[in-house]
């Protein structure tokens, strides 16, 4: 059954007199347990789509529902709460708070959710272990490599036990070996935790790891295929 | 920002130092802290207006703990003449023993010596007057003054020449020995003026309140030289206006720094908003950081500048290159910056207040960030 549904999503950016149609009628469903890549050339609307699904941005037209909530109806404060409890985010960079250690960065999300301390400790440790950073828990972001930082970001995204994780070009700043390693970790967590992962990329090796590939061009879905 | 605070405080210290220097110069050289005269004396400087009940006044002075020292003087108007020129002056006949306890006159002498007993009665005049009369040390002058309706004329020898940064003193006040005055006039055991030095500036009013003498006027230095007090008050106001300007600049500095920080950290703030940090928390975060910025910068600046002032208080800043100009304002050429603890505290509080006020704008600015835009910004 589908968790995320978008219906005829459009997004028009107006810059002075010029209108840019970043999304032009995107309708798609995402089901439980998916591991899906959104691909397409630069400017095709990947970021815009992920931002709208994640409730960071409002569409110009169409709907997004997550579970039984139409998030386009929520106000700003409701959206912030909704994001905190339902969605994990991994960005291309600047994911972590520089002054906090890896472990504190992961716990920080649960702190905002007001989870009990024991649960926070336990979950932060097991997630950092799952992403292979059990020895790096007390390091700060600048003491870690780019790949390690992105792994902390993945652990952080999962810490809140979200329904799904949105990752906008999470591997764009990584070399391909590190990128594939990150994808493998994500795939494992997708299986073990049952969390949906939706990530955008234009790296073919990363695309190969996805089970479903949705291709955008000029704000429209031009292909949607399952692969093994 | 630290530099701004340090500069501001240093400036303040310097201004206080200048002000203090001027005040001290006047107090130490001729004003002292408190003076007692006959009530009529300050209006009409006639020698018949000596202090009544001198003994009782002296006894009171000895009993007041705040009195550090006092000295009796005769004061008359007179005329001083050299072979070249003449000039109206005030003559103070001082007790050479006790007067150095209430005045630093001895240290101001630049030529010759203090009033040592000689064959000719010695007189001490200011550099300005010496130039006007065209006389030097050991030269003779004639001094004419009225005492109890009698003209007294005597030959004096210039024993020393003093230099003072107190306004007007050098040109108009000459000093002679009390004993010489008594033998010239036949007066004895009386005084026109008692100069008193208090333990500290703060206890001056205790003294003026404690002395009871019906026909005498007991005046503190602020009564005697209201212009000094006025300048003090004006200086205070000026200082606060200038401090205000500095603090304003400071607050622009803080706002600017924080806006830069927000700009630089747009992605981080955007990330925090995206992952679910609510607006109130973002607002408080930026507010807190800005306050911390001023709370850290403030004390560092303050410690820095107080250390600097502390050091300069010992060594002084030699402004003799521009000193000629300062001298005309009654200020010596070496400035010892000074700062009161209360002022430091006041500045500290002001910096913190400015910090909080300046924090609000950047914090509101941070609130207006759109998370989708913010995470895109690189
Ligand atoms: N804030 C914006 N204002 C105007 N145009 C924008 C803005 N954000 C994105 N766009 C435009 O929308 C289109 C889609 O952008 P984006 O979603 O970032 O594509 P992708 O992530 O696939 O590179 C592009 O043409 C881009 O220039
Ligand atoms: Mg993009």
């Amino acid at each position: 059954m589908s968790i995320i549904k978008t219906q005829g999503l459009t997004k028009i950016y107006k810059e002075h007199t010029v209108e840019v149609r970043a999304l032009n009628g995107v309708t798609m469903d995402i089901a439980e347990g998916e591991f899906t890549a959104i691909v397409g050339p630069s400017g095709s609307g990947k970021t815009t789509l992920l931002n709208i699904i994640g409730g960071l941005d409002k569409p110009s037209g169409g709907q997004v529902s997550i579970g039984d909530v139409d998030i386009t109806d929520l106000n700003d404060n409701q959206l912030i709460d909704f994001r905190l409890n339902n969605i994990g985010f991994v960005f291309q960079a600047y994911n972590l708070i520089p002054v906090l250690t890896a472990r504190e960065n992961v716990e920080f999300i649960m702190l905002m959710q007001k989870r009990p301390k024991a649960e926070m400790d336990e979950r932060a440790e097991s997630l950092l272990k799952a992403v292979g950073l059990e020895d790096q828990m007390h390091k700060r972001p600048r003491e870690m490599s780019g790949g390690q930082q992105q792994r902390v970001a993945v652990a952080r995204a999962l810490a809140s036990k979200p329904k799904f994780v949105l990752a906008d070009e999470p591997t764009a700043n990584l070399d391909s070996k590190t990128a594939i390693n990150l994808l493998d970790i994500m795939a494992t967590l997708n299986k073990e935790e049952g969390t949906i992962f939706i990530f955008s990329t234009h790296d073919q090796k990363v695309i190969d790891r996805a089970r479903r590939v949705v291709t955008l061009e000029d704000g429209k879905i031009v292909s949607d295929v399952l692969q093994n | 920002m630290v530099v701004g605070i340090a500069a501001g405080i240093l400036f303040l210290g310097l201004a206080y130092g200048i002000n203090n220097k001027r005040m001290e110069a006047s107090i130490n050289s001729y004003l002292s802290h408190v003076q007692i005269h006959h009530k009529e004396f300050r209006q009409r400087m006639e020698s018949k207006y000596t202090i009544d009940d001198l003994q009782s006044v002296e006894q009171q002075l000895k009993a007041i703990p705040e009195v550090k020292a006092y000295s009796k003087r005769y004061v008359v108007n007179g005329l001083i003449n050299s072979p070249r020129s003449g000039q109206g002056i005030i003559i103070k006949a001082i007790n050479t023993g006790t007067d150095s306890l209430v005045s630093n006159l001895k240290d101001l002498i630049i030529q010759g010596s203090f009033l040592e007993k000689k064959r000719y009665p010695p007189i001490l005049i200011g550099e300005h007057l010496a130039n006007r009369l065209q006389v030097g040390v050991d030269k003779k002058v004639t001094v004419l003054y009225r005492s109890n309706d009698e003209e007294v004329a005597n030959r004096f020898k210039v024993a020393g020449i003093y230099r003072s940064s107190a306004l007007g003193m050098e040109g108009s006040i000459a000093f002679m020995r009390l004993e010489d005055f008594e033998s010239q006039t036949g007066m004895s055991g009386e005084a026109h003026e008692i100069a008193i030095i208090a333990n500290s500036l703060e206890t001056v009013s205790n003294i003026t309140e404690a002395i009871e003498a019906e026909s005498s006027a007991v005046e503190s230095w602020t009564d005697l030289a209201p212009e000094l007090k006025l300048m003090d008050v004006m200086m205070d106001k000026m200082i606060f206006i200038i401090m205000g300007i500095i603090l304003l600049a400071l607050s622009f500095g803080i706002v600017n720094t924080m806006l830069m920080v927000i700009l630089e950290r747009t992605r981080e703030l955007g990330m925090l908003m995206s992952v679910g940090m609510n607006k109130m928390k973002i607002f408080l975060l930026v507010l807190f950081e800005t306050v911390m910025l001023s709370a850290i910068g403030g004390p560092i600046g303050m410690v820095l500048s107080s250390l600097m002032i502390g050091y300069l208080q010992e060594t002084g800043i030699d402004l003799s290159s521009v000193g000629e100009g300062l001298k005309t304002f009654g200020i010596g050429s070496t400035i010892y910056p000074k700062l009161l603890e209360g002022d430091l505290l006041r500045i500290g509080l002001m910096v913190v207040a400015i910090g909080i006020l300046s924090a609000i704008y950047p914090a509101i600015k941070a609130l207006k960030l759109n998370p989708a835009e913010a995470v895109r910004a690189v």
Side-chain angles (χ1 to χ4, degrees):
Chain A
M1 77 156 266
S2 55
I3 301 289
I4 306 167
K5 284 181 199 223
T6 77
Q7 186 61 51
L9 276 186
T10 60
K11 178 70 183 181
I12 297 165
Y13 291 111
K14 283 202 189 79
E15 281 220 64
H16 306 292
T17 50
V18 189
E19 284 191 359
V20 179
R21 266 180 186 271
L23 292 181
N24 196 1
V26 172
T27 301
M28 67 188 279
D29 283 9
I30 300 216
E32 207 96 58
E34 277 196 27
F35 196 69
T36 297
I38 311 284
V39 306
S42 184
S44 57
K46 304 183 294 294
T47 299
T48 306
L49 177 60
L50 290 182
N51 282 350
I52 290 174
I53 293 174
L56 298 178
D57 210 352
K58 300 259 184 205
S60 310
Q63 269 127 41
V64 183
S65 51
I66 293 168
D68 41 22
V69 182
D70 185 343
I71 64 164
T72 49
D73 285 346
L74 299 180
N75 69 25
D76 279 3
N77 282 328
Q78 291 168 325
L79 265 177
I80 287 171
D81 255 15
F82 187 82
R83 287 202 295 268
L84 176 61
N85 293 310
N86 296 282
I87 313 174
F89 288 91
V90 178
F91 302 105
Q92 186 177 322
Y94 302 99
N95 273 295
L96 307 177
I97 300 171
V99 296
L100 300 183
T101 64
R103 185 198 178 119
E104 287 162 347
N105 264 288
V106 175
E107 287 187 344
F108 166 73
I109 288 283
M110 295 183 275
L111 200 69
M112 288 198 297
Q113 289 181 313
K114 304 192 173 75
R115 298 279 184 84
K117 173 95 175 98
E119 187 192 334
M120 267 167 42
D121 285 349
E122 199 261 326
R123 185 147 177 84
E125 261 167 55
S126 76
L127 281 170
L128 283 167
K129 203 166 165 190
V131 298
L133 291 175
E134 57 266 51
D135 327 324
Q136 319 281 321
M137 288 202 291
H138 301 293
K139 285 196 177 162
R140 281 170 221 285
R142 88 178 91 78
E143 300 162 326
M144 291 187 282
S145 69
Q148 288 173 330
Q149 288 182 32
Q150 289 304 75
R151 273 142 69 187
V152 177
V154 169
R156 196 270 318 272
L158 286 163
S160 61
K161 297 199 173 150
K163 291 198 175 74
F164 59 99
V165 172
L166 295 174
D168 191 12
E169 312 224 18
T171 61
N173 292 350
L174 306 179
D175 62 64
S176 61
K177 205 172 141 239
T178 318
I180 286 164
N181 175 253
L182 186 74
L183 255 286
D184 287 343
I185 288 169
M186 282 163 54
T188 309
L189 285 164
N190 165 256
K191 275 206 199 82
E192 284 173 1
E193 300 252 339
T195 314
I196 301 168
F197 275 80
I198 305 165
F199 51 95
S200 70
T201 183
H202 44 238
D203 177 344
Q204 190 54 50
K205 287 208 185 84
V206 172
I207 297 170
D208 290 344
R209 305 268 147 170
R211 281 198 297 284
R212 179 182 171 192
V213 181
V214 177
T215 309
L216 284 182
E217 242 166 64
D218 294 332
K220 279 186 181 146
I221 295 177
V222 293
S223 87
D224 185 346
V225 295
L226 293 175
Q227 54 184 31
N228 32 40
Chain B
M1 176 172 127
V2 169
V3 172
I5 295 177
I9 293 180
L10 204 66
F11 166 82
L12 195 65
L14 203 66
Y16 266 119
I18 289 176
N19 206 31
N20 221 57
K21 175 104 184 168
R22 209 195 50 238
M23 254 164 60
E24 258 171 26
S26 301
I27 289 173
N28 292 343
S29 54
Y30 74 98
L31 212 50
S32 68
H33 286 148
V34 180
Q35 290 188 3
I36 303 176
H37 302 100
H38 189 283
K39 269 194 180 133
E40 300 293 327
F41 185 80
R42 283 193 72 211
Q43 268 79 50
R44 282 179 294 155
M45 203 185 272
E46 287 176 25
S47 73
K48 65 178 178 198
Y49 294 124
T50 52
I51 297 168
D52 292 335
D53 298 325
L54 189 58
Q55 279 188 335
S56 128
V57 173
E58 277 192 75
Q59 263 161 16
Q60 288 182 47
L61 288 178
K62 280 177 188 147
I64 299 171
E66 286 90 353
V67 173
K68 193 171 164 197
Y70 73 93
S71 182
K72 293 180 284 182
R73 298 164 177 168
Y74 291 100
V75 183
V76 289
N77 271 321
L79 264 171
I80 186 166
N81 286 295
S82 72
R84 301 293 184 94
S85 172
Q87 162 97 32
I89 51 167
I90 294 168
I91 303 156
K92 295 202 172 195
I94 59 175
N95 178 326
T96 50
T98 57
D99 217 82
S100 18
L101 301 176
V102 298
S103 150
N104 65 350
L105 186 62
K106 227 175 192 164
D107 306 326
L108 299 178
I109 294 170
I110 52 164
Q111 278 175 52
S113 56
F114 199 53
L115 298 165
E116 270 131 53
K117 198 165 171 57
K118 296 265 173 63
R119 197 162 65 86
Y120 275 103
I123 190 162
L124 203 59
I125 60 177
E127 190 182 23
H128 197 70
L129 184 61
N131 290 341
R132 180 123 15 127
L133 298 172
Q134 298 180 36
V135 293
V137 171
D138 284 339
K139 292 286 182 288
K140 297 207 179 66
V141 289
T142 312
V143 176
L144 191 80
Y145 58 87
R146 284 180 75 85
S147 166
N148 296 331
D149 297 330
E150 269 179 59
E151 300 268 336
V152 183
N154 280 289
R155 302 271 279 164
F156 284 79
K157 199 182 222 174
V158 176
I161 293 173
Y162 70 87
R163 183 184 278 171
S164 164
S165 49
L167 210 56
M169 174 178 174
E170 262 185 32
S172 61
I173 304 180
F175 297 88
M176 64 184 286
R177 293 171 65 91
L178 191 114
E179 299 93 310
D180 292 338
F181 185 88
E182 291 193 335
S183 67
Q184 284 170 13
T185 59
M187 290 171 83
S188 142
E190 295 187 81
H192 294 117
E193 173 174 297
I194 300 179
I196 301 163
I197 287 288
N199 284 330
S200 78
L201 266 184
E202 285 74 46
T203 57
V204 166
S205 59
N206 298 6
I207 296 176
T208 54
E209 278 158 25
I211 298 168
E212 280 178 40
E214 221 175 279
S215 59
S216 302
V218 179
E219 292 161 302
S220 70
W221 63 276
T222 53
D223 306 324
L224 294 164
E227 72 280 359
L228 274 184
K229 186 72 190 171
L230 195 73
M231 273 179 89
D232 206 30
V233 171
M234 261 167 56
M235 197 79 156
D236 260 0
K237 284 196 179 134
M238 220 165 75
I239 283 167
F240 271 89
I241 290 171
I242 291 171
M243 271 319 280
I245 292 169
I246 289 173
L247 286 173
L248 203 71
L250 187 74
S251 103
F252 274 115
I254 296 175
V255 171
N256 201 47
T257 312
M258 281 317 289
L259 289 180
M260 296 284 285
V261 166
I262 290 175
L263 204 70
E264 269 169 27
R265 300 223 328 250
T266 298
R267 292 246 13 187
E268 195 184 316
L269 289 173
M271 180 274 290
L272 289 172
M273 284 172 151
S274 304
V275 301
M277 188 179 251
N278 66 37
K279 297 205 166 191
M280 197 60 208
K281 287 197 181 112
I282 299 266
F283 182 83
L284 289 176
L285 181 79
V286 174
L287 201 72
F288 179 74
E289 276 191 37
T290 313
V291 172
M292 284 307 281
L293 181 78
S294 43
I296 292 169
I300 291 178
M302 287 198 289
V303 166
L304 217 73
S305 51
S306 6
L307 285 180
M308 218 134 103
I309 286 174
Y311 169 74
L312 291 172
Q313 227 160 16
E314 302 295 314
T315 57
I317 304 170
D318 192 358
L319 293 178
S320 43
S321 48
V322 290
E324 285 309 306
L326 288 177
K327 243 190 111 177
T328 52
F329 292 110
I331 303 164
S333 60
T334 304
I335 305 297
Y336 299 89
K338 189 184 151 83
L339 205 61
L340 307 171
E341 279 155 42
D343 284 323
L344 208 59
L345 198 73
R346 227 177 329 176
I347 292 167
L349 288 177
M350 259 152 89
V351 169
V352 171
I354 293 274
I356 293 171
L357 285 178
S358 339
I360 292 172
Y361 179 67
I364 288 175
K365 200 86 183 162
L367 274 189
K368 296 215 170 116
L369 283 176
N370 170 341
E373 304 278 319
V375 295
R376 270 175 198 271
V378 178

